[in-house]
Amino acid sequence: MSTLFVSDLHLDPARPAATRAFVALLRGPARAADALYILGDLFEAWLGDDDDSPLGAEVADELAALASAGMPVAFIRGNRDFLLGHAWAARCGMRLIPDPTVIDLYGEPTLLLHGDLLCTDDAGYQAFRRQVRDPLWQAAFLAQPLDARRAFAAQARAASGEHQNAVGERITDVAGDTVAATFRRYGLNRMIHGHTHRPAVHQLVVDGRSCERVVLADWYAHGEVLRVRPDGGIDRLAVV
Ligand SMILES: [Mn+2]
């Protein structure tokens, strides 16, 4: 009995080992779990559900096989795959859930989020996020031919890399006051997120309450899954 969490796999045809590890997770440990939550950036880039790339089809087939075995799978969109839509989720047999979402994790209310909403010191990124999450912007973008969307995505990734180098490590991590405000707003003691690629368990006190912020690992070097047991204990499982 356990619930599994992953994020920031950044699956890409250029790095097939990560896709192999994800398939191994779906065919192996995920079959014995109570549920699987994917907290965003499953893909390095997602340009619309009409992009019929072999990678997307392979992952959809594997997720659908897991879902048809009765495993609940839920997905929060990240900053790389925020255009992943209900059509593709339905094909995978998974639920798209809002960012953030509160779940009951074996009796412990737990906030799940991709994590970029917590990075409020990065004003430039938050402005970009607001733009690309606007339904009108998304409709206009998805109406463009795939080639044009691919060119935009490549440019956005290059700009993002330059931006991260320019603003530095601290700015691209979560903002402490936003983390505290989020715990306060939801009135719970645990959150799980990815995005920052800084895996850790942070203990903090908010208004006298002991709170825990669990950060997932990315899959650049190897696959890593966070497991939460019914007693609340957590561990991390390497997947290759
Ligand atoms: Mn991200």
Side-chain angles (χ1 to χ4, degrees):
M1 295 275 285
S2 62
T3 298
L4 306 183
F5 300 88
V6 296
S7 73
D8 305 287
L9 295 85
H10 293 268
L11 299 183
D12 186 284
R15 289 184 301 104
T19 303
R20 278 199 301 275
F22 186 54
V23 169
L25 168 69
L26 299 182
R27 293 183 181 180
R31 301 283 168 140
D34 295 317
L36 170 66
Y37 289 90
I38 303 168
L39 302 188
D41 290 359
L42 173 60
F43 293 101
E44 176 73 6
W46 191 263
L47 300 174
D49 291 356
D50 58 333
D51 183 355
D52 54 354
S53 71
L55 175 64
E58 180 187 2
V59 172
D61 289 347
E62 295 290 340
L63 282 167
L66 182 68
S68 58
M71 179 61 47
V73 181
F75 188 94
I76 288 179
R77 287 173 276 217
N79 54 299
R80 299 303 192 95
D81 45 21
F82 60 89
L83 287 170
L84 198 146
H86 289 278
W88 199 78
R91 177 177 166 192
C92 301
M94 66 182 185
R95 279 184 306 135
L96 286 182
I97 59 177
D99 185 3
T101 288
V102 180
I103 64 164
D104 176 348
L105 191 53
Y106 306 115
E108 176 77 34
T110 301
L111 188 70
L112 305 181
L113 56 175
H114 177 57
D116 52 339
L117 284 171
L118 301 172
C119 301
T120 50
D121 288 338
D122 192 345
Y125 171 71
Q126 293 298 333
F128 175 77
R129 188 184 193 281
R130 276 192 297 278
Q131 179 193 28
V132 301
R133 298 299 180 112
D134 174 6
L136 289 176
W137 185 93
Q138 292 191 359
F141 182 76
L142 290 171
Q144 293 181 41
L146 261 172
D147 283 350
R149 283 180 261 163
R150 284 199 189 98
F152 174 88
Q155 193 183 29
R157 277 203 298 279
S160 161
E162 285 168 23
H163 174 71
Q164 284 185 32
N165 289 336
V167 299
E169 283 279 302
R170 189 189 62 78
I171 297 295
T172 57
D173 201 354
V174 301
D177 52 352
T178 301
V179 170
T182 303
F183 275 120
R184 207 169 278 130
R185 182 178 324 131
Y186 288 92
L188 38 67
N189 302 333
R190 177 182 267 175
M191 67 168 75
I192 302 175
H193 70 81
H195 179 68
T196 61
H197 302 203
R198 293 168 170 96
V201 178
H202 299 274
Q203 308 288 346
L204 62 156
V205 175
V206 178
D207 302 339
R209 283 188 292 120
S210 294
C211 295
E212 187 172 73
R213 179 170 69 88
V214 182
V215 187
L216 303 176
D218 66 62
W219 283 45
Y220 283 132
H222 65 273
E224 189 175 298
V225 183
L226 181 88
R227 275 195 302 212
V228 180
R229 294 187 304 272
D231 66 3
I234 63 175
D235 63 0
R236 294 175 194 261
L237 173 72
V239 191
V240 288

